[in-house]
Amino acid sequence: MINPWDGLVELREIGEFGLIARIRNRLPAYLPRVFQGIGDDAAIASLSPGNDLVSTVDLMVEEVHFNLALTSAHLLGRKSLAVNLSDMAAMGARPRFALISLALPARIRVESVDEFYLGFLEMAEAHGVSLIGGDTSFSPDRLFISVTLLGEGKKEILVCRHGARPGDDLYVTGTLGDSLLGLSLARTLQGKSPLPDEKYLLEKHFNPIPRVQEGLALAEKGLATAMIDVSDGLFSDLRHICEESRVGATVFAQRIPQSNAFQSLSPALGRSGWQSAVRGGEDYELLFSAPPQKASEVMALARQWECGVTCIGKVEPISHGIIIRDEQGQVGPELLKGFDHFAAWEQN
Ligand code: ADP
Ligand code: MG
């Protein structure tokens, strides 16, 4: 009998983004009322003139995205909404409603589910989001959490990945690499109580703050030409902007923002320098482009933000490719690789 799940191409050969491209290519070229479909942080669809629906969904899988031995149910609840809020922020949209689906193994305790919702609803309230539904299933082995977030905006001011133009400056909010360092640290702490710098890094990984107000302000003031949230590593996410905008980029390695905690604790964990800061993922900072004429406006706006902003490079013509420069000159392209689910699976 022919196995209907047979085929020649293994997922690891095309990778996560190859798979998404394959799905995207199956869609008709025109989808009614869809302004931005697959290929951005969130989709934009028109409901009525002047009011556009922005939607995004994320799936978190136990042992892939989180480990129950390292995080609490409360923080997991917060983070499962925060990662969606970060995608909403990257569009410059206002989050409104959430739906959540859980697939739960029978070993999970009811009190932990209560704690999870306490965290989730705390994050929801902080961003004016109402939980309006979801779905629940048994899972034989691992815990699965999928959150759908719906928001609103006007397509004329929402910021997609495809608007970067050669000559634009490239900016990133906050600092990079803290989250991945926080995760490495959590694996070494083994119950010891953390010192202040350690606590900072752990918070960055287990309790990230989505840049919702920052994304909204950049969109409302018309400053950003393209925007993405940094979830897979700076260069992986920059590549998405470059591909969608059909441009290249130069990034100055020495400008990549690192926190004091990162600088003081990364050497001991064998992860120092900008290379480690960009290799990370799960930073949930915003990477955006803006025309050089808007530089002073961007900096003035960012003075109101606790997270700050750093200009890390420039958008270039497509023929330039994506280039990283450090003090010695140009850096090899191997660092341009970010997190890919199926490539990570191969490494395991
Ligand atoms: P992000 O990291 O910002 O959440 P992803 O890399 O997960 O973005 O997704 C990129 C784009 O591909 C998004 O538009 C998303 O909706 C779409 N996408 C991802 N997985 C699938 C899938 N299995 N089927 C259809 N679209 C998908
Ligand atoms: Mg994203």
Side-chain angles (χ1 to χ4, degrees), residues 41 87 90 161 228-229 231:
D41 294 291
D87 278 323
R161 295 178 180 177
I228 190 169
D229 68 322
S231 55

Coordinates of all heavy atoms in Angstrom, one line a residue, residues 41 87 90 161 228-229 231, ligand 2:
D41 N 5.0 40.1 10.0 CA 4.8 39.7 11.4 C 3.4 39.4 11.7 O 3.1 38.7 12.6 CB 5.4 40.8 12.3 CG 6.9 40.9 12.1 OD1 7.6 40.0 12.6 OD2 7.4 41.9 11.5
D87 N 4.8 40.8 17.7 CA 4.5 40.8 16.3 C 3.5 41.9 16.0 O 3.7 42.6 14.9 CB 3.9 39.5 15.8 CG 5.0 38.4 15.6 OD1 6.1 38.8 15.1 OD2 4.8 37.2 15.9
A90 N 5.4 45.1 15.8 CA 6.3 45.2 14.6 C 5.5 45.7 13.4 O 6.0 46.1 12.4 CB 6.9 43.9 14.3
R161 N 7.2 44.7 6.2 CA 8.6 44.4 6.1 C 9.1 44.9 4.7 O 10.3 45.0 4.5 CB 8.8 42.9 6.1 CG 8.5 42.3 7.5 CD 8.7 40.7 7.4 NE 8.4 40.2 8.7 CZ 8.4 38.8 9.0 NH1 8.8 38.0 8.0 NH2 8.1 38.4 10.2
I228 N 10.3 44.9 11.8 CA 10.1 43.5 12.1 C 10.5 43.4 13.6 O 11.2 44.2 14.1 CB 11.0 42.6 11.2 CG1 10.7 41.1 11.4 CG2 12.5 42.9 11.5 CD1 11.4 40.3 10.3
D229 N 10.0 42.3 14.3 CA 10.5 42.1 15.6 C 11.7 41.1 15.5 O 11.6 40.2 14.7 CB 9.4 41.7 16.6 CG 8.9 40.4 16.4 OD1 8.7 40.0 15.2 OD2 8.6 39.6 17.3
S231 N 13.1 38.1 16.5 CA 12.8 36.9 17.3 C 13.7 35.7 16.9 O 13.8 34.8 17.7 CB 11.3 36.5 17.1 OG 11.0 36.4 15.7
Ligands
MG2 MG 7.9 38.6 14.1

